[in-house]
Amino acid sequence: MHPLATATGAGAPSGAPPLVVEHVSKSYDADGHIVPVIGDLSLTLSEGEIVAIVGPSGCGKTTLLNTLCGLLAADTGRIRWHGRDIAGQPAGVGYMLQKDLLLPWRTALKNVMLGLEIRGVPLSDAEERSHVMLDQLGLHGFADHYPTTLSGGMRQRVALARTLVNEPDVLLLDEPFAALDFQTKLLIESDTARLVRESRRSVLLITHDIEEAVSLADRVIVLTKRPTRIKAVYEIDLGTARTDMIAARESTGFSDYVRRIWADLDVGR
């Protein structure tokens, strides 16, 4: 799998959650020394659910995502996508990273179209779908701009459009907003929440930003240090629409969730 190209899954068993992880572990061999990274981790991602994962720096969050999507093989355990054991890289999954990975010789429109081109979608259809997605993400009028002429926030919107235009069932997001300024981050978080919730997509978000996790997610999973395991799970109920990041941050209970998750992370102790 690559963040530039995804395909929509088909033929999934009826009623199966998009992702089920059972007792997965993963270690690395570092010069003959086995370094455990993930230790006996289980989770479920339901249809239409946004789940955020937070944990101490270096605890293995990116390794976890890479294992879940088949870029790395788990040592033990079981990973099922739509009820089927993982075999290679699953269909219907979009993977977006912190770096936008835009191709500098392609315009914004052509970058968004890339995955569709790889899948053989007719050119006119690919162009129309990509224009619509750019417009939905506030980039009307920028289709013919090259990445070097775009701000960091605009480039990340193009990367998000490139992921969403393929209509993935599930989005794996690895700190995609971490490098953005606060205002731009809030705007793109709101756009992302609106688009994925309208389409009932599922999202697994890795982030180091607790406020981002609480404002975006239906559920926040807190990981331990390596070998990482699940330390706590929070069901987030803010009593407000979950597409407005300012409203979410101003809601009753938001600060309490943030304080409790921060305490669970046990940072610096």
Side-chain angles (χ1 to χ4, degrees):
M1 180 188 342
H2 192 283
L4 301 183
T6 60
T8 301
S14 176
L19 174 64
V20 176
V21 181
E22 297 177 341
H23 304 293
V24 162
S25 67
K26 176 66 181 176
S27 299
Y28 287 119
D29 186 339
D31 298 324
H33 298 284
I34 302 301
V35 179
V37 179
I38 302 170
D40 196 9
L41 191 147
S42 300
L43 63 87
T44 298
L45 178 66
S46 300
E47 180 182 357
E49 183 183 33
I50 299 178
V51 173
I53 296 178
V54 300
S57 179
C59 75
K61 297 185 292 294
T62 296
T63 297
L64 175 62
L65 278 196
N66 288 339
T67 303
L68 298 184
C69 70
L71 293 176
L72 296 173
D75 296 336
T76 63
R78 188 179 186 188
I79 300 170
R80 285 176 287 165
W81 287 96
H82 297 287
R84 293 194 174 92
D85 288 325
I86 190 171
Q89 297 160 18
V93 178
Y95 195 171
M96 184 175 169
L97 309 175
Q98 181 176 342
K99 294 182 179 179
D100 57 65
L101 299 179
L102 299 183
L103 302 179
W105 59 89
R106 293 177 70 107
T107 64
L109 179 66
K110 293 294 186 180
N111 266 287
V112 176
M113 290 172 56
L114 183 56
L116 299 176
E117 292 177 14
I118 292 171
R119 290 168 50 197
V121 174
L123 182 61
S124 60
D125 186 21
E127 286 185 348
E128 180 180 358
R129 289 168 58 179
S130 298
H131 269 296
V132 169
M133 188 56 63
L134 285 171
D135 290 349
Q136 288 182 327
L137 286 168
L139 290 172
H140 179 75
F142 290 93
D144 294 328
H145 285 237
Y146 287 90
T148 54
T149 69
L150 301 176
S151 68
M154 296 170 77
R155 289 173 61 106
Q156 205 66 351
R157 288 177 185 270
V158 174
L160 179 60
R162 181 185 58 195
T163 303
L164 290 174
V165 77
N166 292 283
E167 299 181 349
D169 303 316
V170 179
L171 291 174
L172 302 180
L173 306 179
D174 190 359
E175 301 196 33
F177 316 124
L180 303 177
D181 64 85
F182 184 68
Q183 179 182 8
T184 302
K185 177 186 288 193
L186 291 184
L187 292 171
I188 298 183
E189 286 173 355
S190 295
D191 285 341
T192 301
R194 171 176 54 82
L195 289 171
V196 301
R197 290 191 185 280
E198 285 176 354
S199 57
R200 292 284 297 168
R201 290 187 172 96
S202 305
V203 177
L204 193 61
L205 166 70
I206 297 292
T207 180
H208 67 271
D209 185 335
I210 300 173
E211 292 191 351
E212 177 177 87
V214 173
S215 59
L216 266 174
D218 303 302
R219 187 156 48 98
V220 176
I221 296 174
V222 183
L223 300 182
T224 66
K225 297 177 182 179
R226 291 191 303 180
T228 195
R229 293 176 171 82
I230 292 177
K231 181 175 185 178
V233 179
Y234 290 86
E235 301 286 342
I236 307 298
D237 181 7
L238 297 177
T240 186
R242 302 307 305 279
T243 57
D244 184 335
M245 297 302 102
I246 292 296
R249 283 165 165 78
E250 292 176 342
S251 64
T252 302
F254 176 81
S255 296
D256 184 55
Y257 282 122
V258 172
R259 285 193 296 267
R260 290 164 62 194
I261 292 170
W262 175 258
D264 274 333
L265 284 174
D266 200 27
V267 177
R269 298 180 188 176

